[in-house]
Amino acid sequence: MDFLRRTWAEINLDCLCENARAVKKCLSDRTEMMAVVKADAYGHGDRMVSRELEGLGVRRFGVSNLEEAAGLRSAGINGEILIFGVTPPGFAKDLAEYRVAQAILNLEYAKELSAAAQAADVCVEGHLKLDTGMGRIGFVAGRPSGSIPVLLEACHLPGLRITGAFSHFSSSDDVSEEGIAYTREQYRRFRDTLDGLAAAGYPIPFAHLQNSAGIVSYPEYQFDGARAGIILYGQPLDFLPGHDIALKPVMSLRSTVAMVKEISAGDCISYSRTFRAEHPMRIATVPVGYADGYLRAFSNKADVIIRGKRARVVGNVCMDQMMVDVSGIDGVQEGDLVTLAGRDGNEEITFGELAALAGTIHYELLCLVGKRVPRMYLKDGKVVKILDFNRV
Ligand SMILES: *Cc1c(COP(=O)(O)O)cnc(C)c1O
């Protein structure tokens, strides 16, 4: 377990399991959770996360593309996998061989995939993707291109087996009156389409609509499945009032103090001299930078935790290093643990707090944690694996 203790991400698998149980509690017995593990499980490592969840009984996984799906299969994941994004029809054979279901975006795509599947002598599984208001991909519900006859035509194409249908909320985290009305309308369009298909003799076996915010805020919109992403990773949806789901952040980002020095009044720190000391200070250099996903936008704004106390980033964050003001913390020395995101003692820095400083959302920060940052997996308080992409 020897590794370079530069900057690393701790992934707490116990917290992941607790969150998964908390999500399941939000769902009725007839609604199955699909774990969304796209983008390397939001930076947490899709293989480790999916194995852990499969061990808990999770049977469905959502990914963004074929490569992610193939990665899960090669990691031994047996459950059902659905690709949310577009796969070129030429990959029909791979979809079938990996036993992966593909989102079906429109009739033209369905026909191309059907033709490619027939040419390869395979059958591809698909979930109809309905655009009910996201405006991204899918048959547009309520418009001619998403009408019941068009959907039925897609359902009856040879070489394609439609086993599900889904849609995606654009604003389930928006609790304004307008936001709620928009979400209600998306739900209505989805339900009407499913009802129309059932009335035409094609009941969809597995329909799913909710994302994390939908699961928490709209429990009445459960179908056969629900897609949980960010809440599995324990990132709170604090903007949703009244929700009572207890989440535990799975990822903590840590580093160590590389060097401590005293500086004098007038001394400048880092590129472009954005920080100039007004009085003598003690400064610690931390080996993390924007190449690790610690944004330059945090310069002179973010805090870290050292010895249970907050210290402010001073000067511009560099590619691989940055400096913090440790004048107010006694005894800081080389090798001390630095918490960039996570808890240390009574202090906690959340990805939400950091995201707000940079004008973004915690989703983005999680995804940006770089491949240079080893992932250290913890279970029952012990390190069970270190995934270090720097070692080949
Ligand atoms: C990313 C994604 C999700 C998960 O969203 P969260 O807000 O993280 O729960 C669900 N469904 C689709 C189609 C997605 O692309």
Side-chain angles (χ1 to χ4, degrees):
M1 290 294 181
D2 166 45
F3 82 117
L4 188 67
R5 286 170 65 90
R6 182 183 164 273
T7 292
W8 67 97
E10 286 173 14
I11 311 293
N12 190 318
L13 296 173
D14 297 319
C15 292
L16 175 75
C17 292
E18 286 188 42
N19 296 334
R21 288 196 193 97
V23 174
K24 280 188 181 166
K25 265 200 213 150
C26 294
L27 301 173
S28 76
D29 289 343
R30 56 163 289 276
T31 302
E32 197 179 339
M33 179 179 83
M34 179 187 295
V36 178
V37 295
K38 65 191 181 189
D40 203 21
Y42 294 37
H44 295 67
D46 57 2
R47 298 168 199 215
M48 286 294 287
V49 162
S50 303
R51 278 200 202 115
E52 194 65 28
L53 291 173
E54 201 162 60
L56 273 188
V58 174
R59 294 293 304 148
R60 290 184 184 263
F61 299 89
V63 299
S64 99
N65 63 60
L66 181 60
E67 283 162 344
E68 290 178 351
L72 293 189
R73 287 287 182 244
S74 72
I77 297 302
N78 258 314
E80 309 214 12
I81 299 177
L82 171 64
I83 296 177
F84 297 153
V86 185
T87 305
F91 288 91
K93 192 159 191 261
D94 302 80
L95 288 169
E97 276 173 5
Y98 286 116
R99 290 185 296 111
V100 175
Q102 169 60 45
I104 306 298
L105 327 167
N106 57 28
L107 186 57
E108 196 181 17
Y109 179 77
K111 285 179 175 167
E112 286 173 15
L113 196 55
S114 158
Q118 287 175 275
D121 202 19
V122 295
C123 183
V124 171
E125 188 184 336
H127 286 204
L128 297 175
K129 177 69 199 282
L130 299 165
D131 182 357
T132 56
M134 177 70 178
R136 191 163 65 180
I137 52 174
F139 293 85
V140 183
R143 299 279 165 79
S145 62
S147 66
I148 301 299
V150 166
L151 293 168
L152 284 173
E153 192 179 342
C155 289
H156 289 119
L157 289 168
L160 263 190
R161 193 159 51 90
I162 301 300
T163 56
F166 70 115
S167 189
H168 192 50
F169 286 136
S170 79
S171 310
S172 50
D173 57 353
D174 176 355
V175 293
S176 71
E177 212 170 294
E178 267 171 58
I180 292 168
Y182 199 85
T183 301
R184 294 234 157 98
E185 180 61 17
Q186 284 202 266
Y187 162 75
R188 195 190 58 75
R189 288 179 187 168
F190 186 62
R191 194 204 51 208
D192 285 355
T193 304
L194 294 177
D195 287 351
L197 285 169
Y202 206 97
I204 293 292
F206 190 78
H208 44 111
L209 176 62
Q210 296 155 304
N211 54 358
S212 291
I215 290 169
V216 173
S217 298
Y218 297 92
E220 67 275 27
Y221 293 170
Q222 291 179 31
F223 289 89
D224 308 295
R227 303 182 304 275
I230 198 82
I231 48 176
L232 273 183
Y233 307 106
Q235 295 300 328
L237 301 157
D238 342 289
F239 42 82
L240 295 178
H243 75 78
D244 58 356
I245 180 168
L247 298 172
K248 297 203 167 161
V250 173
M251 186 192 290
S252 304
L253 204 54
R254 316 253 194 216
S255 189
T256 51
V257 171
M259 176 181 148
V260 185
K261 63 169 174 282
E262 310 282 341
I263 63 167
S264 309
D267 287 355
C268 294
I269 298 290
S270 194
Y271 288 117
S272 310
R273 309 182 314 283
T274 60
F275 184 85
R276 183 186 297 265
E278 284 173 5
H279 41 75
M281 296 173 83
R282 213 151 12 96
I283 300 292
T285 301
V286 183
V288 63
Y290 56 78
D292 301 298
Y294 197 82
L295 305 189
R296 194 165 181 277
F298 300 156
S299 302
N300 292 303
K301 286 187 189 162
D303 286 344
V304 303
I305 312 170
I306 302 177
R307 297 188 171 226
K309 287 192 173 156
R310 282 181 176 248
R312 177 61 49 86
V313 172
V314 288
N316 280 337
V317 172
C318 311
M319 190 183 289
D320 320 302
Q321 309 185 65
M322 62 140 175
M323 278 61 79
V324 296
D325 173 13
V326 293
S327 307
I329 309 174
D330 286 338
V332 174
Q333 53 189 0
E334 196 181 304
D336 277 1
L337 187 72
V338 178
T339 298
L340 307 161
R343 184 173 272 287
D344 177 14
N346 293 325
E347 282 289 355
E348 182 176 18
I349 292 171
T350 64
F351 281 93
E353 170 186 337
L354 293 172
L357 295 176
T360 181
I361 52 175
H362 45 25
Y363 291 76
E364 188 175 9
L365 294 187
L366 293 172
C367 293
L368 288 178
V369 173
K371 286 287 170 278
R372 193 166 75 174
V373 177
R375 280 16 178 215
M376 179 198 272
Y377 292 90
L378 300 171
K379 202 171 173 179
D380 301 324
K382 287 198 224 54
V383 177
V384 291
K385 188 182 180 75
I386 293 174
L387 255 183
D388 190 343
F389 312 98
N390 306 297
R391 295 196 175 182
V392 280

